[in-house]
Amino acid sequence: MSGGAVRHARWWQRRGVRLGAAGAVLLVSGLVILALVREQTGTEGFLVGLGLAVVPVPLLFAAFRWLDRVQPGPWRDLVFAFGWGAGAAALIAILANSFAARWIATTTADPESADTLAATVIAPVVEESAKALAVLLVFLFRRQHFTGLVDGVVIAGLTASGFAFTENILYLGNAFGTDRISGDSGLASVTAATFFVRIVMSPFAHPLFTVLTGIGFGLAAFSAERHRLRRTLLPLAGLLLAMAVHAGWNGSAALGPLGFFAVYALFMLPAFALLTWLAVWQRQRELRTVREELPAYAAAGWLSAPEPYALGSMRARTLAREYAAHALDKAAARTVADYAHRATALALLRRRGRRGRANADFVTRERELLESLWRGRRVAAPALAYAAHLTAPQPPPVPYPAHGWGPHGRPPPGLPHRPYANWPQQQTGPHRPPPQHPYAYHPPGTPAPTPAPAPPPTHHAAPNWPPRQRHW
């Protein structure tokens, strides 16, 4: 750029072009994969498989959305991940697996060994690579919203949930067709057995595999841009580990029922529990980062004193949103939620900067977040102060000594005091409105509440304090 000329973004870098291209890819791949599945299962089997396969989807989506509540990503990223898994990744997998199985059967002239080799070697490589493409695209083109381990887990988990949804339609539809031919029904049918294994026992199988790839990308997001080798090797290591675990799970079916259940109990369940603990621990770690990093901005005047504690507690955030909705309206509650999300992004950005992992746009990004917080402070600060008052831990009361008063009748230094003592007192009872605090926001046209008159002065500084000792 020279002579003051502004360099415009190229046509493929424009937001509308990217959104249109992503939507077109998802729509076309979704229609093609649905047509292929319907061709293999028949219309009736397709409808039965669709109705049964949709059962675990809301639970998986809610679980990953809960995990992402501290700093939730945009809905379009989550929808893209699920749509890619259900459409594009499933289409790539079904075409590549079918081609590989036919090629191996033609080469070896042994269809049974071809199916086993395709399930244990070809399918894990193809399917995990297809699902990893969604994580890679979000990592590259939505880097601003892909900041850590939780983001990688959520994007990878939703991509795998979409893939499992389409795959379950195919398996359940084929099982229903088999039952129609054999005449089986009820609990003894192939459909019931397939539903139990894929929907009841292992709805988390595909998310478990692909989450390993997401962890690799999440660790790469922690690394600085100058560590290019690390940012390349970590996602690749996660992908290879996902392929290995996937191959082991598919290979367990060849061990018979006892071998399958042994692998499920001794490996799958402990691995699922370990990854769940890791994701929840990382979620709590992000909240702790908020409480540790934001006081610096409070000291600089960008935030009020109680906000770092309130923003680092999910319960306080919920109370703040409820207070804003009760005192103002639902738009104010959304403002408080957006305020909390941007504050979390600011805390994570500052942690990266302190550890020397900041990107080139650190100063610009920090300024944008601070200015957005400043614009929402008028509505969010009172609600967060109220929530912090209700949730902040209070120290145990300490009796003051009977003697040893300091000069001018004041308590001696070093005695603990109640934090946020000047905040409004909590009112209890569902019929009472939320308390008003000194800097509460009042909508235009509504009078501000009149402060209560001060109580008459008393002889003692506090009800239980001893009278001041006078020395003549």
PDB file of all heavy atoms in Angstrom, residues 203-236:
ATOM      1  N   PRO A 203     -23.560 -43.315  21.782  1.00  0.00           N
ATOM      2  CA  PRO A 203     -23.827 -42.102  20.990  1.00  0.00           C
ATOM      3  C   PRO A 203     -22.636 -41.151  20.975  1.00  0.00           C
ATOM      4  O   PRO A 203     -22.560 -40.266  20.121  1.00  0.00           O
ATOM      5  CB  PRO A 203     -25.026 -41.480  21.712  1.00  0.00           C
ATOM      6  CG  PRO A 203     -24.890 -41.941  23.128  1.00  0.00           C
ATOM      7  CD  PRO A 203     -24.327 -43.333  23.028  1.00  0.00           C
ATOM      8  N   PHE A 204     -21.705 -41.353  21.921  1.00  0.00           N
ATOM      9  CA  PHE A 204     -20.544 -40.476  22.036  1.00  0.00           C
ATOM     10  C   PHE A 204     -19.323 -41.014  21.296  1.00  0.00           C
ATOM     11  O   PHE A 204     -18.236 -40.421  21.393  1.00  0.00           O
ATOM     12  CB  PHE A 204     -20.171 -40.308  23.513  1.00  0.00           C
ATOM     13  CG  PHE A 204     -19.897 -41.604  24.222  1.00  0.00           C
ATOM     14  CD1 PHE A 204     -18.638 -42.184  24.185  1.00  0.00           C
ATOM     15  CD2 PHE A 204     -20.892 -42.255  24.921  1.00  0.00           C
ATOM     16  CE1 PHE A 204     -18.381 -43.378  24.821  1.00  0.00           C
ATOM     17  CE2 PHE A 204     -20.640 -43.455  25.577  1.00  0.00           C
ATOM     18  CZ  PHE A 204     -19.377 -44.016  25.522  1.00  0.00           C
ATOM     19  N   ALA A 205     -19.458 -42.138  20.563  1.00  0.00           N
ATOM     20  CA  ALA A 205     -18.285 -42.767  19.960  1.00  0.00           C
ATOM     21  C   ALA A 205     -17.622 -41.847  18.944  1.00  0.00           C
ATOM     22  O   ALA A 205     -16.425 -41.525  19.057  1.00  0.00           O
ATOM     23  CB  ALA A 205     -18.685 -44.100  19.314  1.00  0.00           C
ATOM     24  N   HIS A 206     -18.357 -41.390  17.941  1.00  0.00           N
ATOM     25  CA  HIS A 206     -17.768 -40.513  16.935  1.00  0.00           C
ATOM     26  C   HIS A 206     -17.292 -39.188  17.541  1.00  0.00           C
ATOM     27  O   HIS A 206     -16.201 -38.705  17.196  1.00  0.00           O
ATOM     28  CB  HIS A 206     -18.756 -40.275  15.792  1.00  0.00           C
ATOM     29  CG  HIS A 206     -18.689 -41.323  14.727  1.00  0.00           C
ATOM     30  ND1 HIS A 206     -17.650 -41.417  13.823  1.00  0.00           N
ATOM     31  CD2 HIS A 206     -19.532 -42.349  14.420  1.00  0.00           C
ATOM     32  CE1 HIS A 206     -17.858 -42.437  13.008  1.00  0.00           C
ATOM     33  NE2 HIS A 206     -18.991 -43.023  13.352  1.00  0.00           N
ATOM     34  N   PRO A 207     -18.085 -38.540  18.414  1.00  0.00           N
ATOM     35  CA  PRO A 207     -17.541 -37.337  19.066  1.00  0.00           C
ATOM     36  C   PRO A 207     -16.262 -37.598  19.841  1.00  0.00           C
ATOM     37  O   PRO A 207     -15.360 -36.751  19.861  1.00  0.00           O
ATOM     38  CB  PRO A 207     -18.680 -36.894  19.995  1.00  0.00           C
ATOM     39  CG  PRO A 207     -19.920 -37.393  19.327  1.00  0.00           C
ATOM     40  CD  PRO A 207     -19.529 -38.697  18.706  1.00  0.00           C
ATOM     41  N   LEU A 208     -16.161 -38.759  20.472  1.00  0.00           N
ATOM     42  CA  LEU A 208     -14.943 -39.084  21.220  1.00  0.00           C
ATOM     43  C   LEU A 208     -13.735 -39.148  20.299  1.00  0.00           C
ATOM     44  O   LEU A 208     -12.659 -38.627  20.629  1.00  0.00           O
ATOM     45  CB  LEU A 208     -15.129 -40.414  21.944  1.00  0.00           C
ATOM     46  CG  LEU A 208     -13.904 -40.974  22.692  1.00  0.00           C
ATOM     47  CD1 LEU A 208     -13.505 -40.038  23.813  1.00  0.00           C
ATOM     48  CD2 LEU A 208     -14.189 -42.362  23.226  1.00  0.00           C
ATOM     49  N   PHE A 209     -13.879 -39.759  19.128  1.00  0.00           N
ATOM     50  CA  PHE A 209     -12.749 -39.852  18.202  1.00  0.00           C
ATOM     51  C   PHE A 209     -12.330 -38.462  17.718  1.00  0.00           C
ATOM     52  O   PHE A 209     -11.155 -38.082  17.794  1.00  0.00           O
ATOM     53  CB  PHE A 209     -13.121 -40.717  16.991  1.00  0.00           C
ATOM     54  CG  PHE A 209     -13.686 -42.063  17.337  1.00  0.00           C
ATOM     55  CD1 PHE A 209     -14.653 -42.653  16.533  1.00  0.00           C
ATOM     56  CD2 PHE A 209     -13.261 -42.741  18.467  1.00  0.00           C
ATOM     57  CE1 PHE A 209     -15.179 -43.888  16.852  1.00  0.00           C
ATOM     58  CE2 PHE A 209     -13.781 -43.980  18.796  1.00  0.00           C
ATOM     59  CZ  PHE A 209     -14.745 -44.552  17.984  1.00  0.00           C
ATOM     60  N   THR A 210     -13.287 -37.703  17.221  1.00  0.00           N
ATOM     61  CA  THR A 210     -12.956 -36.432  16.576  1.00  0.00           C
ATOM     62  C   THR A 210     -12.548 -35.376  17.580  1.00  0.00           C
ATOM     63  O   THR A 210     -11.823 -34.435  17.224  1.00  0.00           O
ATOM     64  CB  THR A 210     -14.153 -35.954  15.738  1.00  0.00           C
ATOM     65  OG1 THR A 210     -14.667 -37.046  14.988  1.00  0.00           O
ATOM     66  CG2 THR A 210     -13.753 -34.848  14.779  1.00  0.00           C
ATOM     67  N   VAL A 211     -12.984 -35.489  18.826  1.00  0.00           N
ATOM     68  CA  VAL A 211     -12.562 -34.532  19.860  1.00  0.00           C
ATOM     69  C   VAL A 211     -11.051 -34.574  20.038  1.00  0.00           C
ATOM     70  O   VAL A 211     -10.426 -33.547  20.367  1.00  0.00           O
ATOM     71  CB  VAL A 211     -13.302 -34.827  21.171  1.00  0.00           C
ATOM     72  CG1 VAL A 211     -12.552 -34.282  22.380  1.00  0.00           C
ATOM     73  CG2 VAL A 211     -14.705 -34.218  21.128  1.00  0.00           C
ATOM     74  N   LEU A 212     -10.428 -35.717  19.803  1.00  0.00           N
ATOM     75  CA  LEU A 212      -8.971 -35.787  19.886  1.00  0.00           C
ATOM     76  C   LEU A 212      -8.322 -34.879  18.838  1.00  0.00           C
ATOM     77  O   LEU A 212      -7.324 -34.214  19.112  1.00  0.00           O
ATOM     78  CB  LEU A 212      -8.511 -37.234  19.704  1.00  0.00           C
ATOM     79  CG  LEU A 212      -8.993 -38.221  20.772  1.00  0.00           C
ATOM     80  CD1 LEU A 212      -8.615 -39.643  20.388  1.00  0.00           C
ATOM     81  CD2 LEU A 212      -8.414 -37.859  22.126  1.00  0.00           C
ATOM     82  N   THR A 213      -8.911 -34.847  17.646  1.00  0.00           N
ATOM     83  CA  THR A 213      -8.431 -33.901  16.636  1.00  0.00           C
ATOM     84  C   THR A 213      -8.669 -32.468  17.080  1.00  0.00           C
ATOM     85  O   THR A 213      -7.808 -31.591  16.902  1.00  0.00           O
ATOM     86  CB  THR A 213      -9.144 -34.165  15.296  1.00  0.00           C
ATOM     87  OG1 THR A 213      -8.953 -35.527  14.913  1.00  0.00           O
ATOM     88  CG2 THR A 213      -8.613 -33.252  14.213  1.00  0.00           C
ATOM     89  N   GLY A 214      -9.847 -32.201  17.669  1.00  0.00           N
ATOM     90  CA  GLY A 214     -10.143 -30.856  18.162  1.00  0.00           C
ATOM     91  C   GLY A 214      -9.197 -30.406  19.257  1.00  0.00           C
ATOM     92  O   GLY A 214      -8.835 -29.228  19.334  1.00  0.00           O
ATOM     93  N   ILE A 215      -8.770 -31.333  20.111  1.00  0.00           N
ATOM     94  CA  ILE A 215      -7.803 -30.985  21.152  1.00  0.00           C
ATOM     95  C   ILE A 215      -6.477 -30.575  20.521  1.00  0.00           C
ATOM     96  O   ILE A 215      -5.821 -29.631  20.980  1.00  0.00           O
ATOM     97  CB  ILE A 215      -7.628 -32.168  22.125  1.00  0.00           C
ATOM     98  CG1 ILE A 215      -8.897 -32.365  22.956  1.00  0.00           C
ATOM     99  CG2 ILE A 215      -6.426 -31.956  23.036  1.00  0.00           C
ATOM    100  CD1 ILE A 215      -8.856 -33.559  23.877  1.00  0.00           C
ATOM    101  N   GLY A 216      -6.072 -31.285  19.476  1.00  0.00           N
ATOM    102  CA  GLY A 216      -4.846 -30.888  18.784  1.00  0.00           C
ATOM    103  C   GLY A 216      -4.932 -29.483  18.221  1.00  0.00           C
ATOM    104  O   GLY A 216      -4.002 -28.684  18.362  1.00  0.00           O
ATOM    105  N   PHE A 217      -6.055 -29.145  17.588  1.00  0.00           N
ATOM    106  CA  PHE A 217      -6.221 -27.787  17.079  1.00  0.00           C
ATOM    107  C   PHE A 217      -6.329 -26.770  18.224  1.00  0.00           C
ATOM    108  O   PHE A 217      -5.851 -25.635  18.101  1.00  0.00           O
ATOM    109  CB  PHE A 217      -7.468 -27.710  16.199  1.00  0.00           C
ATOM    110  CG  PHE A 217      -7.246 -28.166  14.789  1.00  0.00           C
ATOM    111  CD1 PHE A 217      -7.567 -29.459  14.401  1.00  0.00           C
ATOM    112  CD2 PHE A 217      -6.716 -27.309  13.848  1.00  0.00           C
ATOM    113  CE1 PHE A 217      -7.363 -29.888  13.104  1.00  0.00           C
ATOM    114  CE2 PHE A 217      -6.504 -27.724  12.546  1.00  0.00           C
ATOM    115  CZ  PHE A 217      -6.825 -29.025  12.168  1.00  0.00           C
ATOM    116  N   GLY A 218      -6.973 -27.165  19.330  1.00  0.00           N
ATOM    117  CA  GLY A 218      -7.067 -26.248  20.465  1.00  0.00           C
ATOM    118  C   GLY A 218      -5.709 -25.934  21.069  1.00  0.00           C
ATOM    119  O   GLY A 218      -5.428 -24.789  21.437  1.00  0.00           O
ATOM    120  N   LEU A 219      -4.849 -26.938  21.188  1.00  0.00           N
ATOM    121  CA  LEU A 219      -3.496 -26.691  21.682  1.00  0.00           C
ATOM    122  C   LEU A 219      -2.700 -25.842  20.687  1.00  0.00           C
ATOM    123  O   LEU A 219      -1.880 -25.003  21.097  1.00  0.00           O
ATOM    124  CB  LEU A 219      -2.780 -28.017  21.919  1.00  0.00           C
ATOM    125  CG  LEU A 219      -3.355 -28.897  23.037  1.00  0.00           C
ATOM    126  CD1 LEU A 219      -2.617 -30.227  23.116  1.00  0.00           C
ATOM    127  CD2 LEU A 219      -3.290 -28.172  24.379  1.00  0.00           C
ATOM    128  N   ALA A 220      -2.956 -26.027  19.403  1.00  0.00           N
ATOM    129  CA  ALA A 220      -2.282 -25.190  18.407  1.00  0.00           C
ATOM    130  C   ALA A 220      -2.744 -23.743  18.514  1.00  0.00           C
ATOM    131  O   ALA A 220      -1.967 -22.818  18.258  1.00  0.00           O
ATOM    132  CB  ALA A 220      -2.555 -25.727  17.009  1.00  0.00           C
ATOM    133  N   ALA A 221      -3.997 -23.531  18.897  1.00  0.00           N
ATOM    134  CA  ALA A 221      -4.500 -22.162  19.058  1.00  0.00           C
ATOM    135  C   ALA A 221      -3.813 -21.452  20.213  1.00  0.00           C
ATOM    136  O   ALA A 221      -3.706 -20.218  20.213  1.00  0.00           O
ATOM    137  CB  ALA A 221      -6.014 -22.182  19.283  1.00  0.00           C
ATOM    138  N   PHE A 222      -3.348 -22.199  21.219  1.00  0.00           N
ATOM    139  CA  PHE A 222      -2.616 -21.598  22.331  1.00  0.00           C
ATOM    140  C   PHE A 222      -1.226 -21.133  21.904  1.00  0.00           C
ATOM    141  O   PHE A 222      -0.646 -20.259  22.548  1.00  0.00           O
ATOM    142  CB  PHE A 222      -2.466 -22.596  23.485  1.00  0.00           C
ATOM    143  CG  PHE A 222      -3.687 -22.704  24.341  1.00  0.00           C
ATOM    144  CD1 PHE A 222      -4.174 -23.942  24.715  1.00  0.00           C
ATOM    145  CD2 PHE A 222      -4.356 -21.580  24.790  1.00  0.00           C
ATOM    146  CE1 PHE A 222      -5.301 -24.064  25.508  1.00  0.00           C
ATOM    147  CE2 PHE A 222      -5.482 -21.685  25.579  1.00  0.00           C
ATOM    148  CZ  PHE A 222      -5.955 -22.927  25.940  1.00  0.00           C
ATOM    149  N   SER A 223      -0.675 -21.732  20.871  1.00  0.00           N
ATOM    150  CA  SER A 223       0.697 -21.440  20.466  1.00  0.00           C
ATOM    151  C   SER A 223       0.766 -20.121  19.709  1.00  0.00           C
ATOM    152  O   SER A 223      -0.204 -19.707  19.058  1.00  0.00           O
ATOM    153  CB  SER A 223       1.246 -22.569  19.591  1.00  0.00           C
ATOM    154  OG  SER A 223       1.152 -23.814  20.244  1.00  0.00           O
ATOM    155  N   ALA A 224       1.904 -19.478  19.786  1.00  0.00           N
ATOM    156  CA  ALA A 224       2.106 -18.225  19.064  1.00  0.00           C
ATOM    157  C   ALA A 224       2.261 -18.495  17.574  1.00  0.00           C
ATOM    158  O   ALA A 224       2.585 -19.607  17.149  1.00  0.00           O
ATOM    159  CB  ALA A 224       3.343 -17.493  19.603  1.00  0.00           C
ATOM    160  N   GLU A 225       2.018 -17.470  16.775  1.00  0.00           N
ATOM    161  CA  GLU A 225       2.087 -17.613  15.328  1.00  0.00           C
ATOM    162  C   GLU A 225       3.499 -17.969  14.854  1.00  0.00           C
ATOM    163  O   GLU A 225       3.661 -18.592  13.803  1.00  0.00           O
ATOM    164  CB  GLU A 225       1.610 -16.335  14.641  1.00  0.00           C
ATOM    165  CG  GLU A 225       0.113 -16.096  14.770  1.00  0.00           C
ATOM    166  CD  GLU A 225      -0.323 -14.860  14.019  1.00  0.00           C
ATOM    167  OE1 GLU A 225       0.554 -14.042  13.648  1.00  0.00           O
ATOM    168  OE2 GLU A 225      -1.537 -14.684  13.813  1.00  0.00           O
ATOM    169  N   ARG A 226       4.517 -17.585  15.629  1.00  0.00           N
ATOM    170  CA  ARG A 226       5.889 -17.866  15.189  1.00  0.00           C
ATOM    171  C   ARG A 226       6.241 -19.341  15.360  1.00  0.00           C
ATOM    172  O   ARG A 226       7.209 -19.808  14.757  1.00  0.00           O
ATOM    173  CB  ARG A 226       6.863 -16.999  15.988  1.00  0.00           C
ATOM    174  CG  ARG A 226       6.871 -17.268  17.477  1.00  0.00           C
ATOM    175  CD  ARG A 226       7.871 -16.367  18.202  1.00  0.00           C
ATOM    176  NE  ARG A 226       7.927 -16.632  19.617  1.00  0.00           N
ATOM    177  CZ  ARG A 226       7.124 -16.063  20.509  1.00  0.00           C
ATOM    178  NH1 ARG A 226       6.208 -15.189  20.099  1.00  0.00           N
ATOM    179  NH2 ARG A 226       7.235 -16.336  21.791  1.00  0.00           N
ATOM    180  N   HIS A 227       5.487 -20.078  16.170  1.00  0.00           N
ATOM    181  CA  HIS A 227       5.752 -21.504  16.366  1.00  0.00           C
ATOM    182  C   HIS A 227       4.980 -22.295  15.315  1.00  0.00           C
ATOM    183  O   HIS A 227       4.030 -23.026  15.624  1.00  0.00           O
ATOM    184  CB  HIS A 227       5.345 -21.928  17.776  1.00  0.00           C
ATOM    185  CG  HIS A 227       6.091 -21.231  18.853  1.00  0.00           C
ATOM    186  ND1 HIS A 227       5.569 -21.009  20.120  1.00  0.00           N
ATOM    187  CD2 HIS A 227       7.339 -20.673  18.868  1.00  0.00           C
ATOM    188  CE1 HIS A 227       6.458 -20.355  20.859  1.00  0.00           C
ATOM    189  NE2 HIS A 227       7.536 -20.154  20.121  1.00  0.00           N
ATOM    190  N   ARG A 228       5.371 -22.174  14.077  1.00  0.00           N
ATOM    191  CA  ARG A 228       4.621 -22.797  12.994  1.00  0.00           C
ATOM    192  C   ARG A 228       4.740 -24.309  13.006  1.00  0.00           C
ATOM    193  O   ARG A 228       3.778 -25.015  12.668  1.00  0.00           O
ATOM    194  CB  ARG A 228       5.112 -22.240  11.663  1.00  0.00           C
ATOM    195  CG  ARG A 228       4.829 -20.750  11.493  1.00  0.00           C
ATOM    196  CD  ARG A 228       5.141 -20.280  10.091  1.00  0.00           C
ATOM    197  NE  ARG A 228       4.800 -18.862   9.942  1.00  0.00           N
ATOM    198  CZ  ARG A 228       4.925 -18.189   8.799  1.00  0.00           C
ATOM    199  NH1 ARG A 228       5.397 -18.813   7.718  1.00  0.00           N
ATOM    200  NH2 ARG A 228       4.584 -16.916   8.740  1.00  0.00           N
ATOM    201  N   LEU A 229       5.890 -24.839  13.395  1.00  0.00           N
ATOM    202  CA  LEU A 229       6.048 -26.289  13.449  1.00  0.00           C
ATOM    203  C   LEU A 229       5.117 -26.897  14.492  1.00  0.00           C
ATOM    204  O   LEU A 229       4.460 -27.919  14.238  1.00  0.00           O
ATOM    205  CB  LEU A 229       7.509 -26.637  13.753  1.00  0.00           C
ATOM    206  CG  LEU A 229       7.846 -28.127  13.796  1.00  0.00           C
ATOM    207  CD1 LEU A 229       7.565 -28.777  12.450  1.00  0.00           C
ATOM    208  CD2 LEU A 229       9.295 -28.339  14.212  1.00  0.00           C
ATOM    209  N   ARG A 230       5.032 -26.270  15.655  1.00  0.00           N
ATOM    210  CA  ARG A 230       4.145 -26.771  16.704  1.00  0.00           C
ATOM    211  C   ARG A 230       2.685 -26.658  16.275  1.00  0.00           C
ATOM    212  O   ARG A 230       1.879 -27.568  16.532  1.00  0.00           O
ATOM    213  CB  ARG A 230       4.370 -25.975  17.987  1.00  0.00           C
ATOM    214  CG  ARG A 230       3.548 -26.452  19.167  1.00  0.00           C
ATOM    215  CD  ARG A 230       3.713 -25.525  20.356  1.00  0.00           C
ATOM    216  NE  ARG A 230       5.116 -25.331  20.702  1.00  0.00           N
ATOM    217  CZ  ARG A 230       5.522 -24.474  21.629  1.00  0.00           C
ATOM    218  NH1 ARG A 230       4.645 -23.714  22.280  1.00  0.00           N
ATOM    219  NH2 ARG A 230       6.817 -24.362  21.903  1.00  0.00           N
ATOM    220  N   ARG A 231       2.330 -25.569  15.614  1.00  0.00           N
ATOM    221  CA  ARG A 231       0.953 -25.383  15.179  1.00  0.00           C
ATOM    222  C   ARG A 231       0.573 -26.369  14.081  1.00  0.00           C
ATOM    223  O   ARG A 231      -0.622 -26.570  13.811  1.00  0.00           O
ATOM    224  CB  ARG A 231       0.755 -23.944  14.690  1.00  0.00           C
ATOM    225  CG  ARG A 231       0.799 -22.916  15.796  1.00  0.00           C
ATOM    226  CD  ARG A 231       0.991 -21.518  15.227  1.00  0.00           C
ATOM    227  NE  ARG A 231      -0.142 -21.104  14.425  1.00  0.00           N
ATOM    228  CZ  ARG A 231      -1.203 -20.453  14.907  1.00  0.00           C
ATOM    229  NH1 ARG A 231      -1.265 -20.156  16.197  1.00  0.00           N
ATOM    230  NH2 ARG A 231      -2.194 -20.094  14.117  1.00  0.00           N
ATOM    231  N   THR A 232       1.549 -26.968  13.436  1.00  0.00           N
ATOM    232  CA  THR A 232       1.272 -27.977  12.419  1.00  0.00           C
ATOM    233  C   THR A 232       1.266 -29.390  12.996  1.00  0.00           C
ATOM    234  O   THR A 232       0.408 -30.212  12.650  1.00  0.00           O
ATOM    235  CB  THR A 232       2.316 -27.888  11.293  1.00  0.00           C
ATOM    236  OG1 THR A 232       2.314 -26.565  10.745  1.00  0.00           O
ATOM    237  CG2 THR A 232       2.012 -28.896  10.201  1.00  0.00           C
ATOM    238  N   LEU A 233       2.204 -29.667  13.886  1.00  0.00           N
ATOM    239  CA  LEU A 233       2.339 -31.025  14.409  1.00  0.00           C
ATOM    240  C   LEU A 233       1.234 -31.383  15.406  1.00  0.00           C
ATOM    241  O   LEU A 233       0.805 -32.539  15.462  1.00  0.00           O
ATOM    242  CB  LEU A 233       3.707 -31.195  15.068  1.00  0.00           C
ATOM    243  CG  LEU A 233       4.917 -31.150  14.130  1.00  0.00           C
ATOM    244  CD1 LEU A 233       6.207 -31.324  14.914  1.00  0.00           C
ATOM    245  CD2 LEU A 233       4.799 -32.217  13.046  1.00  0.00           C
ATOM    246  N   LEU A 234       0.782 -30.426  16.208  1.00  0.00           N
ATOM    247  CA  LEU A 234      -0.238 -30.735  17.212  1.00  0.00           C
ATOM    248  C   LEU A 234      -1.555 -31.199  16.582  1.00  0.00           C
ATOM    249  O   LEU A 234      -2.102 -32.238  16.986  1.00  0.00           O
ATOM    250  CB  LEU A 234      -0.456 -29.517  18.121  1.00  0.00           C
ATOM    251  CG  LEU A 234       0.665 -29.246  19.125  1.00  0.00           C
ATOM    252  CD1 LEU A 234       0.415 -27.935  19.861  1.00  0.00           C
ATOM    253  CD2 LEU A 234       0.787 -30.393  20.123  1.00  0.00           C
ATOM    254  N   PRO A 235      -2.122 -30.481  15.602  1.00  0.00           N
ATOM    255  CA  PRO A 235      -3.341 -31.013  14.963  1.00  0.00           C
ATOM    256  C   PRO A 235      -3.111 -32.351  14.268  1.00  0.00           C
ATOM    257  O   PRO A 235      -3.990 -33.223  14.282  1.00  0.00           O
ATOM    258  CB  PRO A 235      -3.721 -29.911  13.963  1.00  0.00           C
ATOM    259  CG  PRO A 235      -3.095 -28.672  14.494  1.00  0.00           C
ATOM    260  CD  PRO A 235      -1.813 -29.127  15.120  1.00  0.00           C
ATOM    261  N   LEU A 236      -1.935 -32.512  13.646  1.00  0.00           N
ATOM    262  CA  LEU A 236      -1.653 -33.777  12.979  1.00  0.00           C
ATOM    263  C   LEU A 236      -1.576 -34.922  13.982  1.00  0.00           C
ATOM    264  O   LEU A 236      -2.088 -36.027  13.725  1.00  0.00           O
ATOM    265  CB  LEU A 236      -0.342 -33.662  12.201  1.00  0.00           C
ATOM    266  CG  LEU A 236       0.072 -34.880  11.378  1.00  0.00           C
ATOM    267  CD1 LEU A 236      -0.993 -35.199  10.342  1.00  0.00           C
ATOM    268  CD2 LEU A 236       1.426 -34.638  10.707  1.00  0.00           C
TER     269      LEU A 236
END
